[in-house]
Amino acid sequence: AQSVTQLGSHVSVSEGALVLLRCNYSSSVPPYLFWYVQYPNQGLQLLLKYTSAATLVKGINGFEAEFKKSETSFHLTKPSAHMSDAAEYFCAGVRSGGYQKVTFGTGTKLQVIP
Amino acid sequence: EAGVTQSPTHLIKTRGQQVTLRCSPISGHTSVYWYQQALGLGLQFLLWYDEGEERNRGNFPPRFSGRQFPNYSSELNVNALELEDSALYLCASSSGTGGTSNQPQHFGDGTRLSIL
């Protein structure tokens, strides 16, 4: 079964610093991968998705993620953190074909320190 | 384009009661998903409906059930409520049928259910 692991339930960065949120997947077949963001009292919003077209995926709000098959990773990065980036981030993955359910990671709360 | 809408936004129930949560997907989306987000437990998959059929189910007891209507809206029913059912219930929708799994899910803002 597809599983997704997010390393670090809480990450703190200074405003203007690099944001790096880690996600690893386990699968013998490269899956489709997604990053979502959740602000307090809201649902999840899609940041970006990987569907095998390109390994470097650019998303909204300046975020990007790189699919690395050799490392089974799909880490989310942003060069310079902004206060508005403080939220919870979820990595998700799904295998292709049939009614495969999406598996979400446990989430990483990002704190941005002024 | 209207997003995924959920109702009600907040609900307070007592143990043993029953509750129905409602979800309207984005126009044109045929798949509806339900998730439970309890404090400290992450996002737990509940149910997936597509074209009116249940396509997949998470590891929840049978007292969690639902259905999808011909207009693709959906209901989640929870019977015999327990304290641990207190959570944010999120609905999401996606386009594509036949299990097109590369389509991202679009989420509503959820229903906050509190069990006293």
Side-chain angles (χ1 to χ4, degrees), chain B residues 13-34:
Chain B
K13 292 285 187 178
T14 57
R15 288 176 59 191
Q17 285 188 310
Q18 177 266 343
V19 68
T20 297
L21 310 181
R22 295 176 174 82
C23 173
S24 292
I26 290 173
S27 177
H29 286 189
T30 61
S31 276
V32 170
Y33 312 80
W34 288 95

Side-chain angles (χ1 to χ4, degrees), chain A residues 4-73:
Chain A
V4 171
T5 303
Q6 290 184 244
L7 296 177
S9 58
H10 291 81
V11 170
S12 293
V13 300
S14 298
E15 189 175 15
L18 171 72
V19 175
L20 171 61
L21 304 181
R22 300 178 186 274
C23 174
N24 288 87
Y25 67 92
S26 66
S27 174
S28 59
V29 176
Y32 300 121
L33 294 163
F34 309 85
W35 274 100
Y36 290 86
V37 60
Q38 185 180 30
Y39 298 101
N41 300 312
Q42 294 186 22
L44 280 69
Q45 178 184 1
L46 179 72
L47 277 176
L48 48 83
K49 68 175 183 178
Y50 167 76
T51 56
S52 77
T55 56
L56 183 62
V57 182
K58 294 187 183 298
I60 62 171
N61 302 340
F63 285 93
E64 63 181 35
E66 186 172 8
F67 175 78
K68 292 186 176 180
K69 185 177 178 180
S70 61
E71 298 177 6
T72 60
S73 69

Side-chain angles (χ1 to χ4, degrees), chain B residues 7-63:
Chain B
S7 63
T9 54
H10 294 83
L11 207 50
I12 299 175
K13 292 285 187 178
T14 57
R15 288 176 59 191
Q17 285 188 310
Q18 177 266 343
V19 68
T20 297
L21 310 181
R22 295 176 174 82
C23 173
S24 292
I26 290 173
S27 177
H29 286 189
T30 61
S31 276
V32 170
Y33 312 80
W34 288 95
Y35 295 89
Q36 181 194 67
Q37 190 176 29
L39 200 61
L41 295 180
L43 207 63
Q44 304 295 322
F45 169 76
L46 270 164
L47 289 160
W48 175 4
Y49 292 97
D50 180 57
E51 295 284 358
E53 300 285 334
E54 183 180 300
R55 301 298 182 182
N56 210 320
R57 182 182 178 86
N59 188 26
F60 279 84
R63 59 190 186 85

